[in-house]
Amino acid sequence: MDYSMKNGNSSENKELSKKNFTDIATYVSKMSILGNVLLSIVKFLAGVFAHSGAMISDAIHSLSDVLSSVIVIVGIRIAAKDSDKNHPYGHERMECIAAIVLSFVLLATGYEIGKSAVEHIVGGSYKILHAPGLLALLAAMVSIGVKEGMFWYTRYYAKAIDSSALMADAWHHRSDALSSIGALIGIAGARMGYPIMDPLASLLICGFIAKAAYEIFMDAVSKLIDTSLDYRTEIQMKQTIAFREGVYSIDMFQTRMFGSKVYVDVEIGVDGSMSLVEAHHIAEDVHKTLEHEFPKIKHVMVHVNPIDITEDTCTPDLSKLM
């Protein structure tokens, strides 16, 4: 995951997240709920009247998206709360908790769909099923278009406000679009005289859901256990520090994720003969520059080490700083 956005759009995104984070996330999630409820009703009715188990399974998947959007709203509202006495570092990790809960909801949904499909295949009940009607085929095509549109819509705002929970919900929409493709294949196959294709499509849908659940879970966990940033972004941060006036070495550099935000701890070497006030100004400059250049940083802790300045250390050696 790349956290190296600089200036331009990144500054706009930072301002956007400060002012409208909760409102935008809530609005997008409410739109998702409305879209999923309507789509679930259409797909369920199409599945019932067109005799398609795959389409009914797909409708259940879409309905699970409603619950996921509710989880996102709750998680984001808590994550957006200001720091308090008991939570001095804020509540950003609640987004990760919401994403983990969402992954288990997805997994449970996939399990039920897969279980039903296996029972139909093993029991041979698919042989007596009616061939799905044309209505199911049309519903699957509509679902693919709508869910893919919802994916791009939610993804756009998730990136704009830097929300991991909202991004997880976006990928939930994408998994639904993929499951609808599976349903489309299954329905088409069943209409061509291969009824087993319908429950097989439900089984394929189960696989898509399980994959999405795993990816959402792993991404959220990585942000809960103080995972460091990617190598390229850390190098960019070090370069930013190295070019600040008065910095002669980077003695220690560490980063860690805190939900969707980043904490940075750095030790820099400065001229040991300068005053405490001058050294503090250099540290403050490093602090403010990093937070400005990398908007996902929540806080930078800068420690100053005094060093002897000689002709060999009059300028920083960038190869040693990396």
Side-chain angles (χ1 to χ4, degrees), residues 138-268:
L138 294 175
M141 289 188 287
V142 169
S143 176
I144 293 169
V146 171
K147 294 302 294 186
E148 186 65 12
M150 291 175 70
F151 163 74
W152 286 104
Y153 173 77
T154 307
R155 180 178 179 271
Y156 171 81
Y157 284 105
K159 293 183 70 174
I161 64 174
D162 188 22
S163 170
S164 58
L166 202 59
M167 184 62 78
D169 204 25
W171 282 103
H172 197 171
H173 293 318
R174 168 59 66 82
S175 75
D176 207 0
L178 292 174
S179 74
S180 293
I181 293 175
L184 180 65
I185 295 172
I187 293 167
R191 284 178 57 82
M192 293 171 63
Y194 302 97
I196 195 174
M197 290 294 290
D198 197 62
L200 282 177
S202 292
L203 203 57
L204 181 63
I205 292 169
C206 169
F208 282 132
I209 296 174
K211 181 177 182 293
Y214 173 78
E215 291 174 349
I216 291 170
F217 177 81
M218 293 306 297
D219 179 67
V221 168
S222 71
K223 293 177 180 178
L224 280 174
I225 58 175
D226 290 344
T227 303
S228 63
L229 292 179
D230 61 280
Y231 177 76
R232 186 168 76 91
T233 304
E234 288 197 343
I235 290 296
Q236 291 176 340
M237 288 182 176
K238 288 180 180 181
Q239 289 174 338
T240 299
I241 297 169
F243 283 109
R244 303 317 298 168
E245 185 177 356
V247 176
Y248 289 91
S249 66
I250 298 178
D251 304 325
M252 188 276 288
F253 181 85
Q254 294 178 335
T255 63
R256 61 187 178 93
M257 293 295 300
F258 188 85
S260 59
K261 299 300 180 182
V262 180
Y263 278 91
V264 179
D265 298 311
V266 59
E267 293 184 8
I268 58 173

Side-chain angles (χ1 to χ4, degrees), residues 119-131 193-199:
E119 289 174 350
H120 279 299
I121 294 171
V122 174
S125 59
Y126 65 88
K127 296 177 182 178
I128 61 174
L129 294 176
H130 295 286
Y194 302 97
I196 195 174
M197 290 294 290
D198 197 62

